PDB file of all heavy atoms in Angstrom:
ATOM      1  N   VAL A 102     -67.493 -83.313 -86.044  1.00 96.00           N
ATOM      2  CA  VAL A 102     -66.194 -82.723 -85.712  1.00 96.00           C
ATOM      3  C   VAL A 102     -65.240 -83.006 -86.861  1.00 96.00           C
ATOM      4  O   VAL A 102     -65.427 -83.966 -87.616  1.00 96.00           O
ATOM      5  CB  VAL A 102     -65.634 -83.288 -84.392  1.00 96.00           C
ATOM      6  CG1 VAL A 102     -66.597 -83.033 -83.242  1.00 96.00           C
ATOM      7  CG2 VAL A 102     -65.341 -84.765 -84.498  1.00 96.00           C
ATOM      8  N   PRO A 103     -64.204 -82.169 -87.020  1.00 95.00           N
ATOM      9  CA  PRO A 103     -63.271 -82.390 -88.124  1.00 95.00           C
ATOM     10  C   PRO A 103     -62.473 -83.678 -87.939  1.00 95.00           C
ATOM     11  O   PRO A 103     -62.218 -84.130 -86.821  1.00 95.00           O
ATOM     12  CB  PRO A 103     -62.344 -81.164 -88.043  1.00 95.00           C
ATOM     13  CG  PRO A 103     -63.050 -80.171 -87.193  1.00 95.00           C
ATOM     14  CD  PRO A 103     -63.897 -80.954 -86.253  1.00 95.00           C
ATOM     15  N   GLY A 104     -62.080 -84.250 -89.055  1.00 95.00           N
ATOM     16  CA  GLY A 104     -61.184 -85.394 -89.006  1.00 95.00           C
ATOM     17  C   GLY A 104     -61.882 -86.713 -89.267  1.00 95.00           C
ATOM     18  O   GLY A 104     -63.112 -86.796 -89.380  1.00 95.00           O
ATOM     19  N   GLU A 105     -61.066 -87.744 -89.368  1.00 97.00           N
ATOM     20  CA  GLU A 105     -61.524 -89.113 -89.607  1.00 97.00           C
ATOM     21  C   GLU A 105     -60.913 -89.976 -88.509  1.00 97.00           C
ATOM     22  O   GLU A 105     -59.744 -89.821 -88.171  1.00 97.00           O
ATOM     23  CB  GLU A 105     -61.061 -89.568 -90.991  1.00 97.00           C
ATOM     24  CG  GLU A 105     -61.749 -90.790 -91.515  1.00 97.00           C
ATOM     25  CD  GLU A 105     -61.385 -91.064 -92.964  1.00 97.00           C
ATOM     26  OE1 GLU A 105     -60.184 -91.265 -93.243  1.00 97.00           O
ATOM     27  OE2 GLU A 105     -62.290 -91.082 -93.812  1.00 97.00           O
ATOM     28  N   PHE A 106     -61.697 -90.910 -87.975  1.00 98.00           N
ATOM     29  CA  PHE A 106     -61.300 -91.618 -86.765  1.00 98.00           C
ATOM     30  C   PHE A 106     -61.267 -93.129 -86.996  1.00 98.00           C
ATOM     31  O   PHE A 106     -62.058 -93.675 -87.754  1.00 98.00           O
ATOM     32  CB  PHE A 106     -62.267 -91.280 -85.629  1.00 98.00           C
ATOM     33  CG  PHE A 106     -62.279 -89.816 -85.276  1.00 98.00           C
ATOM     34  CD1 PHE A 106     -63.120 -88.940 -85.953  1.00 98.00           C
ATOM     35  CD2 PHE A 106     -61.427 -89.315 -84.309  1.00 98.00           C
ATOM     36  CE1 PHE A 106     -63.122 -87.578 -85.648  1.00 98.00           C
ATOM     37  CE2 PHE A 106     -61.418 -87.960 -84.003  1.00 98.00           C
ATOM     38  CZ  PHE A 106     -62.265 -87.090 -84.678  1.00 98.00           C
ATOM     39  N   GLY A 107     -60.344 -93.770 -86.292  1.00 98.00           N
ATOM     40  CA  GLY A 107     -60.287 -95.223 -86.310  1.00 98.00           C
ATOM     41  C   GLY A 107     -61.214 -95.852 -85.297  1.00 98.00           C
ATOM     42  O   GLY A 107     -61.566 -97.028 -85.407  1.00 98.00           O
ATOM     43  N   LEU A 108     -61.622 -95.060 -84.273  1.00 99.00           N
ATOM     44  CA  LEU A 108     -62.493 -95.553 -83.216  1.00 99.00           C
ATOM     45  C   LEU A 108     -63.416 -94.433 -82.759  1.00 99.00           C
ATOM     46  O   LEU A 108     -62.964 -93.316 -82.492  1.00 99.00           O
ATOM     47  CB  LEU A 108     -61.663 -96.044 -82.023  1.00 99.00           C
ATOM     48  CG  LEU A 108     -62.431 -96.453 -80.765  1.00 99.00           C
ATOM     49  CD1 LEU A 108     -63.269 -97.709 -81.018  1.00 99.00           C
ATOM     50  CD2 LEU A 108     -61.477 -96.686 -79.581  1.00 99.00           C
ATOM     51  N   VAL A 109     -64.708 -94.729 -82.701  1.00 99.00           N
ATOM     52  CA  VAL A 109     -65.698 -93.878 -82.035  1.00 99.00           C
ATOM     53  C   VAL A 109     -66.291 -94.718 -80.917  1.00 99.00           C
ATOM     54  O   VAL A 109     -66.596 -95.898 -81.121  1.00 99.00           O
ATOM     55  CB  VAL A 109     -66.796 -93.405 -83.003  1.00 99.00           C
ATOM     56  CG1 VAL A 109     -67.821 -92.549 -82.271  1.00 99.00           C
ATOM     57  CG2 VAL A 109     -66.191 -92.623 -84.174  1.00 99.00           C
ATOM     58  N   TYR A 110     -66.450 -94.144 -79.725  1.00 98.00           N
ATOM     59  CA  TYR A 110     -66.957 -94.942 -78.609  1.00 98.00           C
ATOM     60  C   TYR A 110     -67.922 -94.151 -77.739  1.00 98.00           C
ATOM     61  O   TYR A 110     -67.869 -92.913 -77.680  1.00 98.00           O
ATOM     62  CB  TYR A 110     -65.809 -95.514 -77.775  1.00 98.00           C
ATOM     63  CG  TYR A 110     -64.935 -94.491 -77.068  1.00 98.00           C
ATOM     64  CD1 TYR A 110     -65.175 -94.130 -75.749  1.00 98.00           C
ATOM     65  CD2 TYR A 110     -63.846 -93.912 -77.714  1.00 98.00           C
ATOM     66  CE1 TYR A 110     -64.371 -93.213 -75.089  1.00 98.00           C
ATOM     67  CE2 TYR A 110     -63.027 -92.998 -77.064  1.00 98.00           C
ATOM     68  CZ  TYR A 110     -63.294 -92.650 -75.763  1.00 98.00           C
ATOM     69  OH  TYR A 110     -62.496 -91.736 -75.110  1.00 98.00           O
ATOM     70  N   LEU A 111     -68.794 -94.894 -77.076  1.00 98.00           N
ATOM     71  CA  LEU A 111     -69.870 -94.337 -76.267  1.00 98.00           C
ATOM     72  C   LEU A 111     -70.068 -95.277 -75.084  1.00 98.00           C
ATOM     73  O   LEU A 111     -70.493 -96.413 -75.253  1.00 98.00           O
ATOM     74  CB  LEU A 111     -71.148 -94.255 -77.112  1.00 98.00           C
ATOM     75  CG  LEU A 111     -72.414 -93.717 -76.496  1.00 98.00           C
ATOM     76  CD1 LEU A 111     -72.213 -92.305 -75.982  1.00 98.00           C
ATOM     77  CD2 LEU A 111     -73.537 -93.729 -77.531  1.00 98.00           C
ATOM     78  N   VAL A 112     -69.730 -94.820 -73.870  1.00 97.00           N
ATOM     79  CA  VAL A 112     -69.667 -95.726 -72.720  1.00 97.00           C
ATOM     80  C   VAL A 112     -70.752 -95.423 -71.687  1.00 97.00           C
ATOM     81  O   VAL A 112     -71.431 -94.393 -71.742  1.00 97.00           O
ATOM     82  CB  VAL A 112     -68.272 -95.669 -72.054  1.00 97.00           C
ATOM     83  CG1 VAL A 112     -67.203 -96.144 -73.018  1.00 97.00           C
ATOM     84  CG2 VAL A 112     -67.952 -94.261 -71.557  1.00 97.00           C
ATOM     85  N   PHE A 113     -70.896 -96.372 -70.731  1.00 93.00           N
ATOM     86  CA  PHE A 113     -71.689 -96.205 -69.513  1.00 93.00           C
ATOM     87  C   PHE A 113     -73.151 -95.827 -69.793  1.00 93.00           C
ATOM     88  O   PHE A 113     -73.646 -94.816 -69.284  1.00 93.00           O
ATOM     89  CB  PHE A 113     -71.025 -95.176 -68.595  1.00 93.00           C
ATOM     90  CG  PHE A 113     -71.581 -95.149 -67.193  1.00 93.00           C
ATOM     91  CD1 PHE A 113     -72.071 -96.297 -66.606  1.00 93.00           C
ATOM     92  CD2 PHE A 113     -71.619 -93.973 -66.468  1.00 93.00           C
ATOM     93  CE1 PHE A 113     -72.605 -96.281 -65.329  1.00 93.00           C
ATOM     94  CE2 PHE A 113     -72.140 -93.937 -65.170  1.00 93.00           C
ATOM     95  CZ  PHE A 113     -72.632 -95.094 -64.615  1.00 93.00           C
ATOM     96  N   ASN A 114     -73.833 -96.618 -70.636  1.00 94.00           N
ATOM     97  CA  ASN A 114     -75.279 -96.493 -70.843  1.00 94.00           C
ATOM     98  C   ASN A 114     -75.718 -95.208 -71.532  1.00 94.00           C
ATOM     99  O   ASN A 114     -76.924 -94.924 -71.598  1.00 94.00           O
ATOM    100  CB  ASN A 114     -76.037 -96.600 -69.501  1.00 94.00           C
ATOM    101  CG  ASN A 114     -75.824 -97.921 -68.802  1.00 94.00           C
ATOM    102  OD1 ASN A 114     -75.713 -98.954 -69.447  1.00 94.00           O
ATOM    103  ND2 ASN A 114     -75.746 -97.893 -67.481  1.00 94.00           N
ATOM    104  N   THR A 115     -74.777 -94.434 -72.067  1.00 94.00           N
ATOM    105  CA  THR A 115     -75.127 -93.105 -72.557  1.00 94.00           C
ATOM    106  C   THR A 115     -75.974 -93.151 -73.816  1.00 94.00           C
ATOM    107  O   THR A 115     -76.683 -92.177 -74.120  1.00 94.00           O
ATOM    108  CB  THR A 115     -73.854 -92.267 -72.777  1.00 94.00           C
ATOM    109  OG1 THR A 115     -73.020 -92.380 -71.623  1.00 94.00           O
ATOM    110  CG2 THR A 115     -74.181 -90.810 -72.975  1.00 94.00           C
ATOM    111  N   ILE A 116     -75.956 -94.250 -74.567  1.00 97.00           N
ATOM    112  CA  ILE A 116     -76.848 -94.364 -75.721  1.00 97.00           C
ATOM    113  C   ILE A 116     -78.301 -94.216 -75.285  1.00 97.00           C
ATOM    114  O   ILE A 116     -79.145 -93.711 -76.034  1.00 97.00           O
ATOM    115  CB  ILE A 116     -76.625 -95.708 -76.461  1.00 97.00           C
ATOM    116  CG1 ILE A 116     -77.425 -95.757 -77.768  1.00 97.00           C
ATOM    117  CG2 ILE A 116     -76.970 -96.899 -75.571  1.00 97.00           C
ATOM    118  CD1 ILE A 116     -76.940 -94.832 -78.833  1.00 97.00           C
ATOM    119  N   GLY A 117     -78.619 -94.598 -74.038  1.00 96.00           N
ATOM    120  CA  GLY A 117     -79.981 -94.492 -73.528  1.00 96.00           C
ATOM    121  C   GLY A 117     -80.421 -93.075 -73.255  1.00 96.00           C
ATOM    122  O   GLY A 117     -81.624 -92.816 -73.099  1.00 96.00           O
ATOM    123  N   ASN A 118     -79.466 -92.124 -73.171  1.00 94.00           N
ATOM    124  CA  ASN A 118     -79.848 -90.721 -72.994  1.00 94.00           C
ATOM    125  C   ASN A 118     -80.563 -90.160 -74.222  1.00 94.00           C
ATOM    126  O   ASN A 118     -81.208 -89.108 -74.135  1.00 94.00           O
ATOM    127  CB  ASN A 118     -78.615 -89.856 -72.691  1.00 94.00           C
ATOM    128  CG  ASN A 118     -77.993 -90.163 -71.348  1.00 94.00           C
ATOM    129  OD1 ASN A 118     -76.787 -90.300 -71.233  1.00 94.00           O
ATOM    130  ND2 ASN A 118     -78.810 -90.295 -70.315  1.00 94.00           N
ATOM    131  N   LEU A 119     -80.407 -90.842 -75.346  1.00 96.00           N
ATOM    132  CA  LEU A 119     -81.196 -90.513 -76.533  1.00 96.00           C
ATOM    133  C   LEU A 119     -82.506 -91.275 -76.406  1.00 96.00           C
ATOM    134  O   LEU A 119     -82.537 -92.499 -76.474  1.00 96.00           O
ATOM    135  CB  LEU A 119     -80.444 -90.913 -77.798  1.00 96.00           C
ATOM    136  CG  LEU A 119     -79.083 -90.237 -77.968  1.00 96.00           C
ATOM    137  CD1 LEU A 119     -78.315 -90.851 -79.134  1.00 96.00           C
ATOM    138  CD2 LEU A 119     -79.233 -88.730 -78.160  1.00 96.00           C
ATOM    139  N   THR A 120     -83.599 -90.574 -76.202  1.00 94.00           N
ATOM    140  CA  THR A 120     -84.818 -91.197 -75.698  1.00 94.00           C
ATOM    141  C   THR A 120     -85.815 -91.574 -76.797  1.00 94.00           C
ATOM    142  O   THR A 120     -86.968 -91.893 -76.497  1.00 94.00           O
ATOM    143  CB  THR A 120     -85.503 -90.278 -74.668  1.00 94.00           C
ATOM    144  OG1 THR A 120     -85.720 -88.992 -75.264  1.00 94.00           O
ATOM    145  CG2 THR A 120     -84.639 -90.130 -73.431  1.00 94.00           C
ATOM    146  N   THR A 121     -85.380 -91.561 -78.070  1.00 96.00           N
ATOM    147  CA  THR A 121     -86.207 -92.093 -79.148  1.00 96.00           C
ATOM    148  C   THR A 121     -85.355 -93.028 -79.997  1.00 96.00           C
ATOM    149  O   THR A 121     -84.131 -92.903 -80.057  1.00 96.00           O
ATOM    150  CB  THR A 121     -86.770 -90.988 -80.052  1.00 96.00           C
ATOM    151  OG1 THR A 121     -85.710 -90.374 -80.788  1.00 96.00           O
ATOM    152  CG2 THR A 121     -87.531 -89.943 -79.233  1.00 96.00           C
ATOM    153  N   GLN A 122     -86.026 -93.960 -80.652  1.00 97.00           N
ATOM    154  CA  GLN A 122     -85.305 -94.865 -81.542  1.00 97.00           C
ATOM    155  C   GLN A 122     -84.653 -94.093 -82.680  1.00 97.00           C
ATOM    156  O   GLN A 122     -83.520 -94.381 -83.082  1.00 97.00           O
ATOM    157  CB  GLN A 122     -86.253 -95.927 -82.082  1.00 97.00           C
ATOM    158  CG  GLN A 122     -85.565 -97.018 -82.891  1.00 97.00           C
ATOM    159  CD  GLN A 122     -86.545 -98.030 -83.432  1.00 97.00           C
ATOM    160  OE1 GLN A 122     -87.358 -97.700 -84.310  1.00 97.00           O
ATOM    161  NE2 GLN A 122     -86.502 -99.242 -82.906  1.00 97.00           N
ATOM    162  N   ASP A 123     -85.355 -93.097 -83.225  1.00 97.00           N
ATOM    163  CA  ASP A 123     -84.798 -92.302 -84.323  1.00 97.00           C
ATOM    164  C   ASP A 123     -83.495 -91.631 -83.910  1.00 97.00           C
ATOM    165  O   ASP A 123     -82.528 -91.596 -84.682  1.00 97.00           O
ATOM    166  CB  ASP A 123     -85.798 -91.237 -84.777  1.00 97.00           C
ATOM    167  CG  ASP A 123     -86.930 -91.810 -85.614  1.00 97.00           C
ATOM    168  OD1 ASP A 123     -86.799 -92.963 -86.071  1.00 97.00           O
ATOM    169  OD2 ASP A 123     -87.938 -91.099 -85.803  1.00 97.00           O
ATOM    170  N   ALA A 124     -83.458 -91.083 -82.694  1.00 97.00           N
ATOM    171  CA  ALA A 124     -82.242 -90.411 -82.229  1.00 97.00           C
ATOM    172  C   ALA A 124     -81.105 -91.411 -82.068  1.00 97.00           C
ATOM    173  O   ALA A 124     -79.946 -91.108 -82.387  1.00 97.00           O
ATOM    174  CB  ALA A 124     -82.506 -89.692 -80.915  1.00 97.00           C
ATOM    175  N   GLN A 125     -81.404 -92.597 -81.578  1.00 98.00           N
ATOM    176  CA  GLN A 125     -80.362 -93.612 -81.427  1.00 98.00           C
ATOM    177  C   GLN A 125     -79.827 -94.055 -82.790  1.00 98.00           C
ATOM    178  O   GLN A 125     -78.619 -94.241 -82.962  1.00 98.00           O
ATOM    179  CB  GLN A 125     -80.904 -94.795 -80.623  1.00 98.00           C
ATOM    180  CG  GLN A 125     -81.157 -94.441 -79.163  1.00 98.00           C
ATOM    181  CD  GLN A 125     -81.824 -95.559 -78.370  1.00 98.00           C
ATOM    182  OE1 GLN A 125     -82.371 -96.509 -78.945  1.00 98.00           O
ATOM    183  NE2 GLN A 125     -81.802 -95.438 -77.050  1.00 98.00           N
ATOM    184  N   VAL A 126     -80.713 -94.204 -83.778  1.00 98.00           N
ATOM    185  CA  VAL A 126     -80.259 -94.532 -85.129  1.00 98.00           C
ATOM    186  C   VAL A 126     -79.376 -93.419 -85.683  1.00 98.00           C
ATOM    187  O   VAL A 126     -78.322 -93.683 -86.283  1.00 98.00           O
ATOM    188  CB  VAL A 126     -81.463 -94.790 -86.058  1.00 98.00           C
ATOM    189  CG1 VAL A 126     -81.013 -94.883 -87.520  1.00 98.00           C
ATOM    190  CG2 VAL A 126     -82.188 -96.067 -85.657  1.00 98.00           C
ATOM    191  N   ARG A 127     -79.772 -92.174 -85.473  1.00 98.00           N
ATOM    192  CA  ARG A 127     -78.953 -91.050 -85.958  1.00 98.00           C
ATOM    193  C   ARG A 127     -77.583 -91.046 -85.292  1.00 98.00           C
ATOM    194  O   ARG A 127     -76.584 -90.669 -85.911  1.00 98.00           O
ATOM    195  CB  ARG A 127     -79.665 -89.719 -85.701  1.00 98.00           C
ATOM    196  CG  ARG A 127     -80.855 -89.462 -86.593  1.00 98.00           C
ATOM    197  CD  ARG A 127     -81.251 -87.990 -86.613  1.00 98.00           C
ATOM    198  NE  ARG A 127     -81.493 -87.459 -85.283  1.00 98.00           N
ATOM    199  CZ  ARG A 127     -82.666 -87.500 -84.660  1.00 98.00           C
ATOM    200  NH1 ARG A 127     -83.703 -88.084 -85.248  1.00 98.00           N
ATOM    201  NH2 ARG A 127     -82.821 -86.966 -83.465  1.00 98.00           N
ATOM    202  N   CYS A 128     -77.519 -91.469 -84.027  1.00 98.00           N
ATOM    203  CA  CYS A 128     -76.232 -91.544 -83.338  1.00 98.00           C
ATOM    204  C   CYS A 128     -75.326 -92.558 -84.024  1.00 98.00           C
ATOM    205  O   CYS A 128     -74.133 -92.303 -84.232  1.00 98.00           O
ATOM    206  CB  CYS A 128     -76.458 -91.909 -81.873  1.00 98.00           C
ATOM    207  SG  CYS A 128     -74.948 -91.976 -80.888  1.00 98.00           S
ATOM    208  N   PHE A 129     -75.869 -93.716 -84.369  1.00 98.00           N
ATOM    209  CA  PHE A 129     -75.079 -94.711 -85.102  1.00 98.00           C
ATOM    210  C   PHE A 129     -74.630 -94.160 -86.453  1.00 98.00           C
ATOM    211  O   PHE A 129     -73.477 -94.354 -86.867  1.00 98.00           O
ATOM    212  CB  PHE A 129     -75.894 -95.992 -85.291  1.00 98.00           C
ATOM    213  CG  PHE A 129     -75.737 -96.981 -84.166  1.00 98.00           C
ATOM    214  CD1 PHE A 129     -76.320 -96.750 -82.929  1.00 98.00           C
ATOM    215  CD2 PHE A 129     -75.005 -98.143 -84.341  1.00 98.00           C
ATOM    216  CE1 PHE A 129     -76.181 -97.656 -81.885  1.00 98.00           C
ATOM    217  CE2 PHE A 129     -74.854 -99.062 -83.308  1.00 98.00           C
ATOM    218  CZ  PHE A 129     -75.443 -98.817 -82.080  1.00 98.00           C
ATOM    219  N   GLU A 130     -75.522 -93.467 -87.135  1.00 98.00           N
ATOM    220  CA  GLU A 130     -75.165 -92.904 -88.434  1.00 98.00           C
ATOM    221  C   GLU A 130     -74.094 -91.825 -88.284  1.00 98.00           C
ATOM    222  O   GLU A 130     -73.180 -91.726 -89.113  1.00 98.00           O
ATOM    223  CB  GLU A 130     -76.414 -92.339 -89.109  1.00 98.00           C
ATOM    224  CG  GLU A 130     -77.404 -93.411 -89.530  1.00 98.00           C
ATOM    225  CD  GLU A 130     -78.709 -92.845 -90.055  1.00 98.00           C
ATOM    226  OE1 GLU A 130     -79.124 -91.755 -89.592  1.00 98.00           O
ATOM    227  OE2 GLU A 130     -79.325 -93.499 -90.913  1.00 98.00           O
ATOM    228  N   ASN A 131     -74.189 -91.027 -87.229  1.00 98.00           N
ATOM    229  CA  ASN A 131     -73.180 -89.992 -86.998  1.00 98.00           C
ATOM    230  C   ASN A 131     -71.831 -90.609 -86.663  1.00 98.00           C
ATOM    231  O   ASN A 131     -70.786 -90.144 -87.119  1.00 98.00           O
ATOM    232  CB  ASN A 131     -73.639 -89.064 -85.866  1.00 98.00           C
ATOM    233  CG  ASN A 131     -72.868 -87.757 -85.837  1.00 98.00           C
ATOM    234  OD1 ASN A 131     -72.453 -87.235 -86.869  1.00 98.00           O
ATOM    235  ND2 ASN A 131     -72.675 -87.219 -84.645  1.00 98.00           N
ATOM    236  N   ALA A 132     -71.854 -91.681 -85.851  1.00 98.00           N
ATOM    237  CA  ALA A 132     -70.600 -92.382 -85.547  1.00 98.00           C
ATOM    238  C   ALA A 132     -69.965 -92.905 -86.823  1.00 98.00           C
ATOM    239  O   ALA A 132     -68.763 -92.737 -87.058  1.00 98.00           O
ATOM    240  CB  ALA A 132     -70.865 -93.525 -84.567  1.00 98.00           C
ATOM    241  N   ALA A 133     -70.763 -93.546 -87.677  1.00 98.00           N
ATOM    242  CA  ALA A 133     -70.236 -94.114 -88.914  1.00 98.00           C
ATOM    243  C   ALA A 133     -69.680 -93.029 -89.828  1.00 98.00           C
ATOM    244  O   ALA A 133     -68.665 -93.245 -90.514  1.00 98.00           O
ATOM    245  CB  ALA A 133     -71.327 -94.909 -89.632  1.00 98.00           C
ATOM    246  N   ALA A 134     -70.327 -91.862 -89.835  1.00 98.00           N
ATOM    247  CA  ALA A 134     -69.857 -90.767 -90.688  1.00 98.00           C
ATOM    248  C   ALA A 134     -68.482 -90.260 -90.268  1.00 98.00           C
ATOM    249  O   ALA A 134     -67.741 -89.714 -91.086  1.00 98.00           O
ATOM    250  CB  ALA A 134     -70.865 -89.621 -90.660  1.00 98.00           C
ATOM    251  N   HIS A 135     -68.129 -90.440 -88.996  1.00 98.00           N
ATOM    252  CA  HIS A 135     -66.820 -90.007 -88.500  1.00 98.00           C
ATOM    253  C   HIS A 135     -65.731 -91.065 -88.703  1.00 98.00           C
ATOM    254  O   HIS A 135     -64.546 -90.765 -88.510  1.00 98.00           O
ATOM    255  CB  HIS A 135     -66.896 -89.674 -87.006  1.00 98.00           C
ATOM    256  CG  HIS A 135     -67.552 -88.365 -86.702  1.00 98.00           C
ATOM    257  ND1 HIS A 135     -68.905 -88.245 -86.458  1.00 98.00           N
ATOM    258  CD2 HIS A 135     -67.052 -87.106 -86.615  1.00 98.00           C
ATOM    259  CE1 HIS A 135     -69.196 -86.977 -86.212  1.00 98.00           C
ATOM    260  NE2 HIS A 135     -68.094 -86.267 -86.298  1.00 98.00           N
ATOM    261  N   LEU A 136     -66.104 -92.293 -89.021  1.00 98.00           N
ATOM    262  CA  LEU A 136     -65.138 -93.389 -89.077  1.00 98.00           C
ATOM    263  C   LEU A 136     -64.467 -93.493 -90.433  1.00 98.00           C
ATOM    264  O   LEU A 136     -65.105 -93.353 -91.483  1.00 98.00           O
ATOM    265  CB  LEU A 136     -65.827 -94.719 -88.773  1.00 98.00           C
ATOM    266  CG  LEU A 136     -66.216 -94.984 -87.318  1.00 98.00           C
ATOM    267  CD1 LEU A 136     -67.051 -96.256 -87.226  1.00 98.00           C
ATOM    268  CD2 LEU A 136     -64.977 -95.091 -86.424  1.00 98.00           C
ATOM    269  N   ALA A 137     -63.174 -93.793 -90.407  1.00 98.00           N
ATOM    270  CA  ALA A 137     -62.474 -94.210 -91.611  1.00 98.00           C
ATOM    271  C   ALA A 137     -62.979 -95.588 -92.013  1.00 98.00           C
ATOM    272  O   ALA A 137     -63.514 -96.332 -91.180  1.00 98.00           O
ATOM    273  CB  ALA A 137     -60.970 -94.239 -91.354  1.00 98.00           C
ATOM    274  N   PRO A 138     -62.831 -95.978 -93.296  1.00 97.00           N
ATOM    275  CA  PRO A 138     -63.195 -97.340 -93.690  1.00 97.00           C
ATOM    276  C   PRO A 138     -62.486 -98.362 -92.801  1.00 97.00           C
ATOM    277  O   PRO A 138     -61.287 -98.257 -92.551  1.00 97.00           O
ATOM    278  CB  PRO A 138     -62.723 -97.421 -95.142  1.00 97.00           C
ATOM    279  CG  PRO A 138     -62.762 -96.003 -95.631  1.00 97.00           C
ATOM    280  CD  PRO A 138     -62.370 -95.167 -94.440  1.00 97.00           C
ATOM    281  N   GLY A 139     -63.247 -99.322 -92.301  1.00 98.00           N
ATOM    282  CA  GLY A 139     -62.685-100.313 -91.389  1.00 98.00           C
ATOM    283  C   GLY A 139     -62.631 -99.855 -89.952  1.00 98.00           C
ATOM    284  O   GLY A 139     -62.230-100.627 -89.071  1.00 98.00           O
ATOM    285  N   GLY A 140     -63.039 -98.606 -89.662  1.00 98.00           N
ATOM    286  CA  GLY A 140     -63.034 -98.088 -88.302  1.00 98.00           C
ATOM    287  C   GLY A 140     -64.094 -98.752 -87.439  1.00 98.00           C
ATOM    288  O   GLY A 140     -65.018 -99.407 -87.933  1.00 98.00           O
ATOM    289  N   LEU A 141     -63.974 -98.570 -86.117  1.00 99.00           N
ATOM    290  CA  LEU A 141     -64.793 -99.294 -85.154  1.00 99.00           C
ATOM    291  C   LEU A 141     -65.650 -98.347 -84.323  1.00 99.00           C
ATOM    292  O   LEU A 141     -65.208 -97.264 -83.933  1.00 99.00           O
ATOM    293  CB  LEU A 141     -63.890-100.105 -84.213  1.00 99.00           C
ATOM    294  CG  LEU A 141     -62.871-101.040 -84.874  1.00 99.00           C
ATOM    295  CD1 LEU A 141     -62.010-101.708 -83.809  1.00 99.00           C
ATOM    296  CD2 LEU A 141     -63.566-102.079 -85.739  1.00 99.00           C
ATOM    297  N   PHE A 142     -66.867 -98.796 -84.042  1.00 99.00           N
ATOM    298  CA  PHE A 142     -67.767 -98.086 -83.139  1.00 99.00           C
ATOM    299  C   PHE A 142     -68.066 -98.998 -81.957  1.00 99.00           C
ATOM    300  O   PHE A 142     -68.501-100.135 -82.135  1.00 99.00           O
ATOM    301  CB  PHE A 142     -69.062 -97.714 -83.852  1.00 99.00           C
ATOM    302  CG  PHE A 142     -70.057 -96.953 -83.006  1.00 99.00           C
ATOM    303  CD1 PHE A 142     -69.648 -95.976 -82.113  1.00 99.00           C
ATOM    304  CD2 PHE A 142     -71.424 -97.207 -83.124  1.00 99.00           C
ATOM    305  CE1 PHE A 142     -70.560 -95.263 -81.343  1.00 99.00           C
ATOM    306  CE2 PHE A 142     -72.349 -96.506 -82.363  1.00 99.00           C
ATOM    307  CZ  PHE A 142     -71.918 -95.527 -81.474  1.00 99.00           C
TER     308      PHE A 142
END
């Protein structure tokens, strides 16, 4: 999505909806790509 964020968050066990380790790693990488330096996931 457009923009740079100070916080990316994922609540209520939803990381488990990604049912492979590779997909979960990509989720972390996607979160980091949206964060400004020093931003939080």
